[in-house]
Amino acid sequence: MSVLGGLLRAGATFCQSAGTLLQTARTISTGVCCQIRMHAIPQPKKVDRWTEKSSMFGVYDNIGILGDFKAHPKDLIIAPCWLKGFRGNELQRLIRKKKMVGDRMMTLDRHNLEKRIRFLYRRLNRYGKHR
Amino acid sequence: IALPSNLLLPSNLIDPSRTKRSRPPPDCPLPVLRRCDAAVPSHLRPVRSWVESLQDQEGEPLGLAELHPDVFAAPPRIDILQEVELWQRNYKRIRHANTKVRSEVRGGGRKPWRQKGGGRARHGSIRSPIWRGGGVCHGPRGPSSYYYMLPMKVRVMGLKVALSSKMGQDYLHIVDSLDIPTPDPQYLLDLIRHRYWGESVLLVDVAEELPENILRATESLKTVNIIPAIGLNVHSMLKHEALVLTLDAVRFLEEKLLWHDERHTPLYPFKLPYSDFP
């Protein structure tokens, strides 16, 4: 391995026994490292920092404080309706989804959702240290 | 504050082209066009700044404006700026990464071979996480949100600190109104380059209907953007190098940001009607 070769070379220079050991040190590789092979260092990808989206990012975030509290920044979020202005762990998200969207879901999705809620309820409330 | 004598600073820190016009001195022949509306604390002086106009490319400043020190000379709290910037980036973030659990992957209800006697390892279904094509154990689950809110006063303080940093680094310019003689984007670019404002400029005005000329001029430009004063925020201020406010925008911002210093804590959310607050 190249590490062995390097160590040998370092050991040789330290011990000052020069020529013979350096010439006989051979590097072996088992084929585990150096798996990425490239002809040249790849070019960095060109990102335009001034598109419409990035230059207008964050506008209207303070619409509450500067706009008389008629709107709240959580009204600006583009998200599925059960996640707008809501944060929770998986069980809370699934329960909220079932409450808000459950009756218009497809049967297979609904069935999977209910199975997952049942599994998570049992996992979080019955087993483990934090129940 | 004295700097140590053996301090070595790189020579390209200050752009020499930007040091040509400094803050106006206390005794100046130009008229003071605007005084502070709210009461200034007695231990602070109002910050003064030039008021320019966008009509001529090489116009001299029209006068002075006095700005409230609590808004435009707030202590430089970079940690609050970072908190507000991270909040702006993350509160809208929805992560749509989703993986199927072993129960959701199609198939895998039957035991593939009998428990004993096959010579192979025992398995209960083809879709268990050990198998190729099986479900993921602890992968990302469904669209999840990173929503949280910072306290209102922290967000207000972030705006004040951002405005003060722009003021302190000479990147804030005050204009009487955003009127331009021609709707030509090149005129704006030449003006900005002549006055050494910076590479990117953010124009802020209060009115809901902005003048047509400047709207057409900034439509095609990428680095010069115009927003109403309600849309002002820390991320845009940090992204654009220079900030241009109109006198109306300054009055509006001072009124909105100073109200939070002396308000009572809300008994119910502010969007519900209060008797003494519009």
Side-chain angles (χ1 to χ4, degrees), chain A residues 62 65-66, chain B residues 23 67-85 88 153-173 202 204 227 231-245 253 257:
Chain A
N62 293 314
I65 355 170
L66 297 174
Chain B
R23 217 72 66 76
L67 309 168
H68 201 284
D70 275 343
V71 174
F72 287 92
R77 293 284 306 262
I78 313 184
D79 57 329
I80 296 188
L81 271 186
Q82 192 234 7
E83 277 178 15
V84 175
E85 166 65 33
Q88 280 197 280
K153 296 192 189 173
V154 172
R155 283 176 276 144
V156 163
M157 194 67 202
L159 274 174
K160 290 181 188 164
V161 170
L163 286 168
S164 336
S165 334
K166 288 289 178 197
M167 181 83 227
Q169 292 180 334
D170 285 331
Y171 278 122
L172 182 73
H173 304 279
L202 186 65
V204 182
I227 49 168
L232 190 63
N233 61 319
V234 169
H235 176 90
S236 307
M237 281 203 269
L238 292 175
K239 179 149 181 109
H240 296 79
E241 232 181 11
L243 182 66
V244 172
L245 300 171
L253 284 170
L257 297 179

Side-chain angles (χ1 to χ4, degrees), chain B residues 213-228:
Chain B
N213 276 348
I214 195 144
L215 274 179
R216 266 193 281 171
T218 45
E219 239 174 350
S220 45
L221 286 175
K222 277 192 192 180
T223 52
V224 181
N225 300 99
I226 183 163
I227 49 168

Side-chain angles (χ1 to χ4, degrees), chain B:
Chain B
I1 305 164
L3 296 169
S5 52
N6 54 353
L7 183 66
L8 287 171
L9 291 172
S11 53
N12 59 354
L13 264 185
I14 309 169
D15 193 9
S17 58
R18 296 198 78 245
T19 48
K20 53 179 203 79
R21 196 190 296 155
S22 51
R23 217 72 66 76
D27 46 333
C28 196
L30 291 172
V32 178
L33 296 173
R34 182 202 176 253
R35 302 264 177 195
C36 289
D37 297 323
V40 176
S42 51
H43 67 286
L44 297 166
R45 291 290 163 81
V47 183
R48 288 176 162 219
S49 171
W50 299 113
V51 175
E52 301 171 3
S53 102
L54 296 175
Q55 297 283 6
D56 342 303
Q57 221 180 55
E58 309 171 16
E60 289 298 311
L62 298 175
L64 303 177
E66 294 201 333
L67 309 168
H68 201 284
D70 275 343
V71 174
F72 287 92
R77 293 284 306 262
I78 313 184
D79 57 329
I80 296 188
L81 271 186
Q82 192 234 7
E83 277 178 15
V84 175
E85 166 65 33
L86 286 179
W87 168 75
Q88 280 197 280
R89 267 202 256 179
N90 287 333
Y91 87 100
K92 300 185 241 203
R93 180 179 169 202
I94 304 286
R95 182 183 182 208
H96 290 281
N98 186 24
T99 50
K100 290 194 178 352
V101 190
R102 64 183 282 177
S103 62
E104 291 169 2
V105 180
R106 186 87 176 171
R110 183 179 54 199
K111 197 169 169 63
W113 45 76
R114 55 177 202 268
Q115 177 84 359
K116 301 186 71 63
R120 292 169 286 189
R122 50 191 179 179
H123 289 292
S125 83
I126 10 170
R127 303 299 188 198
S128 93
I130 319 177
W131 282 64
R132 174 198 180 276
V136 181
C137 264
H138 295 296
R141 288 297 294 157
S144 65
S145 74
Y146 290 75
Y147 170 79
Y148 68 103
M149 290 306 281
L150 286 175
M152 199 189 300
K153 296 192 189 173
V154 172
R155 283 176 276 144
V156 163
M157 194 67 202
L159 274 174
K160 290 181 188 164
V161 170
L163 286 168
S164 336
S165 334
K166 288 289 178 197
M167 181 83 227
Q169 292 180 334
D170 285 331
Y171 278 122
L172 182 73
H173 304 279
I174 303 194
V175 166
D176 54 345
S177 75
L178 295 176
D179 295 322
I180 294 190
T182 52
D184 187 24
Q186 198 53 41
Y187 172 77
L188 265 181
L189 287 173
D190 291 333
L191 192 142
I192 290 167
R193 207 165 355 111
H194 176 84
R195 297 193 189 179
Y196 296 108
W197 277 358
E199 290 150 11
S200 44
V201 182
L202 186 65
L203 306 160
V204 182
D205 192 12
V206 190
E208 285 166 9
E209 293 147 11
L210 300 157
E212 224 195 82
N213 276 348
I214 195 144
L215 274 179
R216 266 193 281 171
T218 45
E219 239 174 350
S220 45
L221 286 175
K222 277 192 192 180
T223 52
V224 181
N225 300 99
I226 183 163
I227 49 168
I230 307 171
L232 190 63
N233 61 319
V234 169
H235 176 90
S236 307
M237 281 203 269
L238 292 175
K239 179 149 181 109
H240 296 79
E241 232 181 11
L243 182 66
V244 172
L245 300 171
T246 47
L247 286 173
D248 299 322
V250 168
R251 184 179 39 89
F252 174 80
L253 284 170
E254 278 191 7
E255 184 199 320
K256 293 288 176 190
L257 297 179
L258 286 171
W259 176 75
H260 288 276
D261 284 339
E262 298 169 346
R263 63 169 169 90
H264 294 291
T265 143
L267 300 167
Y268 46 89
F270 282 116
K271 65 171 118 168
L272 302 174
Y274 275 77
S275 56
D276 49 348
F277 174 57

